[in-house]
Amino acid sequence: MTTSTTAVGDSRGGRGSEDPKVSVVIPCFQAQSTIALQLASLSDQVDAPPFEVILVDNDPAQHLDEAVADFLHSSAFELRIVRAHEHQGSSYARNVGISHAHAESLQFCDADDVVSRTWVRNGYLASQHTELWTGESILLAEAPFSDGLETVRREFDASPPEWTAPADKQTGPFPVLMAGNFGGARSTLLELRGFDQAFAHYGDDNDLAFRARRAGHRVPVAESVRIGYRGKWSAKQRMRRGFHDARAKRRLLIVHGVSSQSPIPPWPIDITRCLAATILMPFRRSVSPFDIAMRWSYALGNACGALRFGWPRTAPASTPGLGLNPPSAHHDDPPKGTMTA
């Protein structure tokens, strides 16, 4: 793995010489227009333990240093930028972030969302109760994000949630973990070999949840660890997301051997049902052309996943742990304000 690190800020965590209790990892791809809002939400945390923020630059074309210039000397946290240009994908980026984290307690969020005022505190408390947890997301429209942090916060964080212990609600065969709002022990994520770059953009979080459960770890839901999730609302975005989600879900079912337990039908049945729905659409006023288009996006994604990943000769190999070559005890981090290759 080849990475470089820019360490910025006057002192560790903005808290004098205090070591961070939490490392916040944020993968950044085309994030220059959104990352400042997320960093602003991390700057006004309530009752947070000392924490650092690691931005994993996964896009050589973005100007991440310029986008975060206002946070270089934050009094709330130490900000570090880790370059991870060798492979593109959030799985690889998060693994690189894990490698460079100083704290044992890790929390993950995305560059285009907003965390609640108590996100770091409640996530840290959750990590004291369980080795892995997944948080709560409030889906929001795009508009509030254009109007600034306080507008977004009014939408989902007017009354910051009180701390409640993570609840082990996931008793079914399909555990869910949301990569844009989760956390846990660094040692556990290293044990699990982090994320699988074979999933890269879709399904990597739920793949981690499957592997965690197989290794004997629970994936409880920490409802008090809350974010405002920026929804993608255009028809093109929703259809693209539907296709890739269905494709990744079919791959998960195949990789983890649980296809027979899934309510998702085999792809020939799925396609047949879509054809029938398309033919009957003129006679069903409650069904719009967009509804049919979305059904086709899921059905085609399901078919693509089955045909691409259901044959051992054509399915790409899994690559968990790519990017997890940890710096030796983190003693190779450069002095503040320098960069090493």
Side-chain angles (χ1 to χ4, degrees), residues 303-316:
C304 181
L307 296 173
R308 179 73 175 90
F309 305 120
W311 299 92
R313 291 184 179 180
T314 61

Side-chain angles (χ1 to χ4, degrees), residues 66-270:
E66 297 175 12
V68 304
D70 291 344
F71 301 91
L72 297 187
H73 304 287
S74 170
S75 61
F77 50 77
E78 177 193 6
L79 178 65
R80 292 190 288 137
I81 300 175
V82 175
R83 313 295 179 188
H85 297 161
E86 199 167 305
H87 302 277
Q88 203 283 303
S90 57
S91 303
Y92 175 68
R94 291 190 181 98
N95 285 350
V96 170
I98 293 168
S99 294
H100 286 267
H102 287 126
E104 169 64 7
S105 180
L106 306 186
Q107 293 181 215
F108 296 78
C109 59
D110 285 341
D112 58 349
D113 298 328
V114 162
V115 300
S116 79
R117 291 178 179 87
T118 55
W119 186 77
V120 173
R121 182 197 71 183
N122 289 355
Y124 178 68
L125 292 173
S127 294
Q128 310 311 301
H129 283 73
T130 179
E131 295 176 320
L132 202 63
W133 52 264
T134 184
E136 188 82 3
S137 285
I138 310 301
L139 182 62
L140 303 176
E142 177 76 26
F145 292 88
S146 303
D147 295 333
L149 179 59
E150 291 308 312
T151 301
V152 179
R153 284 271 174 77
R154 283 195 295 270
E155 293 287 325
F156 84 103
D157 197 38
S159 299
E162 294 297 325
W163 156 250
T164 56
D168 195 7
K169 300 179 177 180
Q170 304 205 59
T171 57
F174 308 106
V176 173
L177 185 145
M178 185 169 53
N181 183 20
F182 87 102
R186 182 176 184 270
S187 56
T188 299
L189 290 168
L190 290 174
E191 171 201 333
L192 295 171
R193 299 177 66 196
F195 289 90
D196 188 346
Q197 176 66 7
F199 286 90
H201 307 285
Y202 295 88
D204 57 338
D205 43 10
N206 292 329
D207 170 70
L208 178 62
F210 270 106
R211 289 188 285 116
R213 178 179 282 184
R214 188 182 305 127
H217 301 290
R218 300 178 301 116
V219 188
V221 179
E223 293 183 348
S224 60
V225 191
R226 191 175 298 173
I227 67 165
Y229 174 69
R230 187 190 301 249
K232 309 300 188 291
W233 295 99
S234 75
K236 181 178 179 181
Q237 287 172 323
R238 291 174 63 186
M239 290 178 64
R240 183 176 185 273
R241 181 83 194 191
F243 174 86
H244 286 288
D245 278 348
R247 184 175 184 263
K249 188 169 292 185
R250 177 53 63 182
R251 181 176 189 179
L252 283 168
L253 298 175
I254 293 170
V255 167
H256 295 286
V258 291
S259 295
S260 62
Q261 302 176 60
S262 172
I264 301 173
W267 71 267
I269 296 175
D270 211 4

Side-chain angles (χ1 to χ4, degrees), residues 321-335:
L322 187 66
L324 270 186
N325 300 336
S328 56
H330 303 293
H331 295 310
D332 63 342
D333 280 352

